[in-house]
Amino acid sequence: MTDISPESAPGGPGDERIPDDLSTLFADDPASLDRLEKAARASVRDTRAGMADATTGSKREIPVPVPPAEMVAGGLVFDDDDQEHEGGAAVPAPRKSSGGWKWQDAFPTGTFDSGVWAHRKKVFLHALARHAGHSHVYAWRLSKLSGLGMMAGARDSWHYYTAQEYADMVDTARRKNLNPDIIAALREERNETARARRRETMLVATTTAVLTVIAAAVAVADVYGLLASSPAAVLMLGILSAMGLREHKRRNPDEALSQVFAMPFGTGPDVPLTDTLLNRVLRLAKVFTKDDQEITLTEPIRPAEIKGVEAKFKLPDEVTFSQVMAKREAIAAALDVEVHWLDIQQDGSPSRVSFWYCTSDPFGEARTSPLVDNPERTDVWKRGILIGFNRRGLPIYLKLRHVMALLGGMSRTGKGMILRNLICGLGLDPRVNLRLVAGAKPGEHRGYAPICSTFFGRRPERLIALLDALLAEAYRREDYLEEQGRAKLGEKDLDLFPLEILIIDEYKQYASSSIRLPDPTDEEGRRTFKAADRIAEQLEELAAFAAALNITVLVSTQDPDANTIPRGYKSNSGARVATRTGGSVQTNAILKDGATGAGLRAHDIPESLKGGAIVDIDGAPGEIIRGFFIEDEEYDGAADIIAAGRELREELGRAPGQFADQVEEYLIAVTGASSMAGGPTGSGRPGPRTGTAVLEKTTVLTLMLDAFAKAGNVDRLRTADLLQHLAVLDPDTWSWEALGVDEVPEDHEDFKTATSAYNRAGGRRLAEEIAKDLEGTDRELVTREWTVAPRGRGYLLADVRTAAGIAPE
């Protein structure tokens, strides 16, 4: 612990310093020492460190943690639960101590940075190519300067030969009507001066040298051609150009010499970013209103993520970051690029800017979700759900904890793909109870059923019951917090109170529904209420207090208007995602009132940007992103992710049906039907919980149902294909070795023979196991043959469900 007690003055009473280790004061009193340690641990329980460690109360060296690579590289999410620094700007890594000063520290920043030198090389080559491409312009300007120099030289030479300054004095004297004798004297003095100058050795030598060079150049060109005389011509051109430049400066004293050869302002994605270019852009965009205003680079310009380049600079006095942001469109126009090719962020203070500039469309190529190839467990609480990437190529995570969420946009704009990323990510965290309600086309969500604690299609009365169940669960959790004397649930409470996430897809189908239901408070059964109004009331009630209770509702809708989303729910939604909308009204309806005026213009997202969205979430406020792609047309790209999520949940006893689910129990008690994992058929159609007891233990029938789910919820499987899945699910029973077949041979013919033997043995074992499971029942399960392509003989999913005691759809 840190010693914060004042020390007595040296030499005075109490000169003994308080020791670093307080335990030495209580060496003879174990009871006091124990109380001291307990008090020390209790004092740090509510700090960032969380629980105290075994060494609390004694002096120890605490190592400085080094952040992971994703934090240093500019990732948006940090693992510190209480101190989360989220933002698009990269966080510099702390320097590791290397024993003191290094010789590299004597050089400017970026001297040994290969990225900085790569950008400088690009700037040099671009400048070289640009100047070479404009050589004809330079030649014309040099010719004009040479002509000007020739005329100025001839004029000055004549004036010197003739003593023109005396002629000026004579004219002045005549205008002033001076004595004629004075004028005559001036004229005589002029003649004498002119005669003396024409006899000067330097003047004669210079004139002779110039005329000789010209004559020699002409003679060489006449005899050997223009190429041979080019050195003399270049020399003469340089001399005349210098004379012309001096004359130009005399005529235009206020013009800088650099402007004489200035080229037109180059823009476009092929122009490397430099401080000069930035100053020109900011001046052209009217960010800088004074000629002397210029930026000051704080770091060398260097390549950044994907095809971008980043410059960090300090703004001049009287210019702030907000003024730069207000001119984003003008800056993009000055650079001749799209607005979303730029990313301008504050870099520590209002006078410092991180300017990221992409050389091509950062969203030009779709990117497949990393979960497709690596469906690993996700951390929904700390990290969030991976939904897409921003213009810098950095991943964007959506946290659905202690927040209500809203997702909206026009049809076919990528809203469904973002929702697909969300559901897949939620399925890979077993601490989440996912409840999915489809307002339309529940069939497209059928593949998610295995990980859903609740899943059903368009049924307003059941949604009302589900919202009532969540409200009851919220009040139960609130009572728990009241007993604990706490304000909200945290990550440590997830074992007792898992994260309840309800997703209502196509909410507009419920908001615009005209269905009326009987009022349960009316004993006579005469009154009814509108289902849409009741659902809106329940959502507003949940949004008012349930977020702190580990309960989240995400509403997804298309073509919203100001009245689609309940106002109370919208005002309490802290996470909003808008794909392309049809206008400013829809944009404001999804994001927030005044979003369009704040620059969040979802209706301006280019139609060519498939999956583009504006997110207003923790860590990425008002940022444009593109959602990750998970195949949903050619094949079900989410099948392996859902299968991995189901397997993970089963291992931890958190799959639907493996734990006490009070919400589903409430639904069954009220409606008499179960929608766990999509109901008995997994299609989102609730039904009786028939045959649950049979399915509580692992039998060959449950393995067959898992095999059908692993195959992508097909309606039939050939026996040979079914055996392959069973071998993966239960290798001890269904592998080649378990069925008495030798190892897989390498030879093709031997392999075909062995496969046939395995299929015959497996078919017999499968029939025997099915007979054992169904012994004593009136149910049976036999193979069937079908002629619909692909032809084969095997089992139908409907027959397996019926044999397992599950009521047919």
Side-chain angles (χ1 to χ4, degrees):
M1 296 177 61
T2 304
D3 181 12
I4 59 174
S5 302
E7 298 179 350
S8 300
D15 185 36
E16 297 180 356
R17 306 287 178 93
I18 295 178
D20 292 328
D21 189 352
L22 297 181
S23 63
T24 58
L25 299 177
F26 302 96
D28 299 329
D29 189 359
S32 299
L33 179 61
D34 183 65
R35 288 195 300 272
L36 175 64
E37 292 179 351
K38 290 182 178 179
R41 288 186 170 85
S43 66
V44 299
R45 287 184 183 273
D46 295 329
T47 65
R48 287 190 302 171
M51 301 296 293
D53 53 25
T55 59
T56 301
S58 61
K59 181 180 179 181
R60 66 189 182 101
E61 295 294 330
I62 302 177
V64 178
V66 178
E70 61 193 319
M71 295 165 61
V72 176
L76 300 175
V77 179
F78 294 75
D79 290 335
D80 187 353
D81 187 20
D82 297 318
Q83 296 287 334
E84 292 167 353
H85 310 280
E86 299 183 349
V91 179
R95 285 191 175 182
K96 297 182 180 179
S97 176
S98 59
W101 183 84
K102 296 187 298 183
W103 64 270
Q104 292 92 338
D105 297 336
F107 294 86
T109 304
T111 302
F112 303 99
D113 191 328
S114 60
V116 172
W117 284 106
H119 181 71
R120 289 171 178 169
K121 178 181 178 182
K122 184 178 181 180
V123 172
F124 171 76
L125 293 177
H126 178 270
L128 184 62
R130 178 173 176 78
H131 290 306
H134 292 80
S135 58
H136 61 286
V137 178
Y138 292 124
W140 171 245
R141 291 183 178 178
L142 286 174
S143 299
K144 289 173 62 178
L145 284 175
S146 299
L148 183 61
M150 182 180 295
M151 289 187 297
R155 180 201 63 200
D156 293 343
S157 299
W158 178 253
H159 283 183
Y160 187 77
Y161 282 137
T162 60
Q164 185 65 30
E165 65 272 19
Y166 284 95
D168 296 337
M169 288 188 288
V170 169
D171 290 340
T172 303
R174 293 176 62 183
R175 285 197 302 272
K176 292 184 178 181
N177 295 320
L178 296 181
N179 191 328
D181 293 338
I182 296 176
I183 297 175
L186 288 173
R187 286 174 177 170
E188 181 63 27
E189 188 176 352
R190 175 190 177 186
N191 294 331
E192 292 178 358
T193 302
R195 285 194 295 269
R197 286 179 179 178
R198 287 194 288 270
R199 290 193 297 269
E200 289 179 358
T201 304
M202 181 61 68
L203 182 62
V204 173
T206 303
T207 304
T208 303
V210 171
L211 294 176
T212 302
V213 170
I214 295 175
V218 173
V220 171
D222 182 58
V223 177
Y224 299 103
L226 294 176
L227 184 61
S229 64
S230 56
V234 169
L235 176 61
M236 183 57 64
L237 184 65
I239 296 173
L240 293 177
S241 297
M243 294 170 61
L245 191 61
R246 185 185 65 175
E247 178 66 14
H248 180 84
K249 180 62 178 176
R250 188 187 66 81
R251 297 180 181 182
N252 304 278
D254 297 331
E255 183 180 9
L257 293 178
S258 59
Q259 296 298 318
V260 177
F261 292 98
M263 296 301 299
F265 176 37
T267 60
D270 61 326
V271 180
L273 190 64
T274 61
D275 54 345
T276 303
L277 177 62
L278 279 171
N279 283 317
R280 288 177 177 176
V281 166
L282 295 177
R283 192 163 287 110
L284 191 62
K286 304 301 183 183
V287 178
F288 294 166
T289 56
K290 300 179 181 178
D291 293 338
D292 59 343
Q293 290 180 326
E294 290 187 347
I295 64 167
T296 303
L297 291 178
T298 58
E299 293 182 11
I301 300 175
R302 68 187 74 233
E305 299 84 0
I306 55 177
K307 299 176 182 178
V309 61
E310 184 179 26
K312 294 186 177 181
F313 55 84
K314 187 178 186 305
L315 293 168
D317 296 339
E318 302 178 0
V319 180
T320 62
F321 170 76
S322 59
Q323 293 174 277
V324 177
M325 286 297 293
K327 298 288 187 177
R328 284 184 63 193
E329 290 188 6
I331 293 173
L335 287 170
D336 194 24
V337 297
E338 297 284 347
V339 176
H340 66 266
W341 291 26
L342 300 176
D343 186 25
I344 307 173
Q345 298 178 3
Q346 184 171 309
D347 187 30
S349 73
S351 65
R352 292 179 178 266
V353 177
S354 172
F355 186 94
W356 182 87
Y357 166 53
C358 191
T359 56
S360 63
D361 189 354
F363 299 120
E365 297 180 2
R367 294 169 59 179
T368 302
S369 171
L371 295 179
V372 173
D373 297 325
N374 186 25
E376 61 182 0
R377 178 171 177 172
T378 61
D379 187 348
V380 172
W381 186 270
K382 288 183 178 179
R383 180 175 295 276
I385 307 104
L386 186 64
I387 60 173
F389 59 97
N390 64 5
R391 74 194 82 199
R392 296 197 182 199
L394 301 177
I396 296 294
Y397 295 85
L398 175 59
K399 288 185 178 180
L400 292 180
R401 63 165 197 191
H402 295 170
V403 70
M404 298 292 162
L406 184 58
L407 168 62
M410 295 175 61
S411 178
R412 309 298 297 175
T413 58
K415 175 174 55 67
M417 190 57 66
I418 292 179
L419 186 63
R420 188 171 177 81
N421 279 279
L422 277 172
I423 295 174
C424 289
L426 291 170
L428 289 170
D429 192 336
R431 301 174 299 176
V432 173
N433 290 344
L434 177 59
R435 309 191 187 277
L436 177 59
V437 178
K441 299 180 293 185
E444 69 180 16
H445 299 314
R446 182 170 182 168
Y448 309 133
I451 59 169
C452 292
S453 298
T454 301
F455 167 49
F456 58 86
R458 188 188 311 173
R459 287 169 175 80
E461 68 283 358
R462 190 169 188 85
L463 176 56
I464 292 174
L466 175 58
L467 292 172
D468 282 336
L470 286 176
L471 284 169
E473 175 67 11
Y475 288 123
R476 183 174 76 89
R477 297 184 178 192
E478 191 176 50
D479 292 341
Y480 171 81
L481 285 179
E482 185 176 358
E483 295 174 359
Q484 296 289 319
R486 295 163 55 196
K488 63 181 179 180
L489 297 175
E491 185 180 14
K492 63 183 180 181
D493 300 303
L494 290 178
D495 291 337
L496 185 60
F497 298 109
L499 191 61
E500 291 281 351
I501 296 184
L502 168 62
I503 297 177
I504 305 177
D505 188 27
E506 302 295 355
Y507 173 74
K508 193 172 183 179
Q509 300 294 328
Y510 292 101
S512 59
S513 174
S514 59
I515 295 178
R516 303 190 68 87
L517 301 175
D519 189 345
T521 62
D522 183 13
E523 298 180 355
E524 298 182 358
R526 295 181 180 179
R527 292 199 305 268
T528 61
F529 64 86
K530 194 174 180 180
D533 295 340
R534 177 57 182 159
I535 292 172
E537 293 173 1
Q538 292 171 306
L539 286 177
E540 290 183 330
E541 186 176 357
L542 275 172
F545 75 103
L549 305 173
N550 287 0
I551 297 177
T552 292
V553 179
L554 185 148
V555 171
S556 172
T557 184
Q558 68 179 22
D559 300 328
D561 54 39
N563 301 318
T564 300
I565 308 300
R567 180 171 294 276
Y569 176 85
K570 180 184 175 182
S571 61
N572 284 298
S573 297
R576 304 180 181 93
V577 182
T579 59
R580 186 166 54 87
T581 61
S584 59
V585 174
Q586 292 184 2
T587 298
N588 292 336
I590 299 170
L591 296 175
K592 56 186 175 183
D593 294 338
T596 301
L600 307 184
R601 305 172 64 87
H603 49 285
D604 287 343
I605 296 176
E607 188 174 353
S608 59
L609 180 53
K610 303 296 183 182
I614 291 180
V615 295
D616 190 10
I617 60 178
D618 185 18
E623 186 166 10
I624 185 170
I625 70 167
R626 181 171 183 175
F628 282 121
F629 178 70
I630 302 177
E631 181 60 58
D632 62 343
E633 293 185 0
E634 299 295 332
Y635 59 90
D636 187 3
D640 290 341
I641 304 177
I642 301 302
R646 174 76 185 198
E647 182 179 354
L648 176 63
R649 289 169 178 266
E650 288 178 347
E651 290 176 357
L652 300 176
R654 290 285 301 146
Q658 289 184 319
F659 61 93
D661 189 344
Q662 299 197 23
V663 173
E664 264 298 314
E665 291 298 331
Y666 182 96
L667 288 178
I668 294 172
V670 172
T671 66
S674 172
S675 52
M676 179 182 62
T681 63
S683 62
R685 187 170 296 179
R689 195 166 49 175
T690 306
T692 303
V694 177
L695 297 177
E696 286 178 354
K697 61 179 182 178
T698 302
T699 66
V700 69
L701 296 177
T702 60
L703 284 176
M704 292 174 70
L705 290 174
D706 290 340
F708 273 94
K710 191 174 182 62
N713 287 324
V714 296
D715 62 348
R716 64 193 68 193
L717 276 176
R718 295 187 306 164
T719 302
D721 298 332
L722 180 61
L723 289 173
Q724 292 180 14
H725 291 295
L726 293 177
V728 175
L729 295 170
D730 186 6
D732 294 337
T733 305
W734 301 101
S735 65
W736 286 48
E737 293 80 2
L739 293 177
V741 180
D742 296 336
E743 295 184 0
V744 180
E746 297 181 359
D747 184 79
H748 179 67
E749 294 298 329
D750 293 341
F751 177 78
K752 290 178 59 178
T753 303
T755 301
S756 299
Y758 170 72
N759 290 338
R760 288 193 299 271
R764 288 194 298 269
R765 173 72 65 83
L766 191 58
E768 293 171 0
E769 295 296 328
I770 291 174
K772 290 180 182 179
D773 282 356
L774 297 180
E775 185 177 359
T777 70
D778 57 351
R779 299 187 294 272
E780 64 176 1
L781 178 60
V782 297
T783 60
R784 295 180 182 272
E785 184 174 1
W786 54 86
T787 57
V788 179
R791 299 179 59 181
R793 187 174 186 85
Y795 294 88
L796 301 179
L797 177 59
D799 292 346
V800 178
R801 290 182 179 276
T802 301
I806 299 175
E809 184 175 354

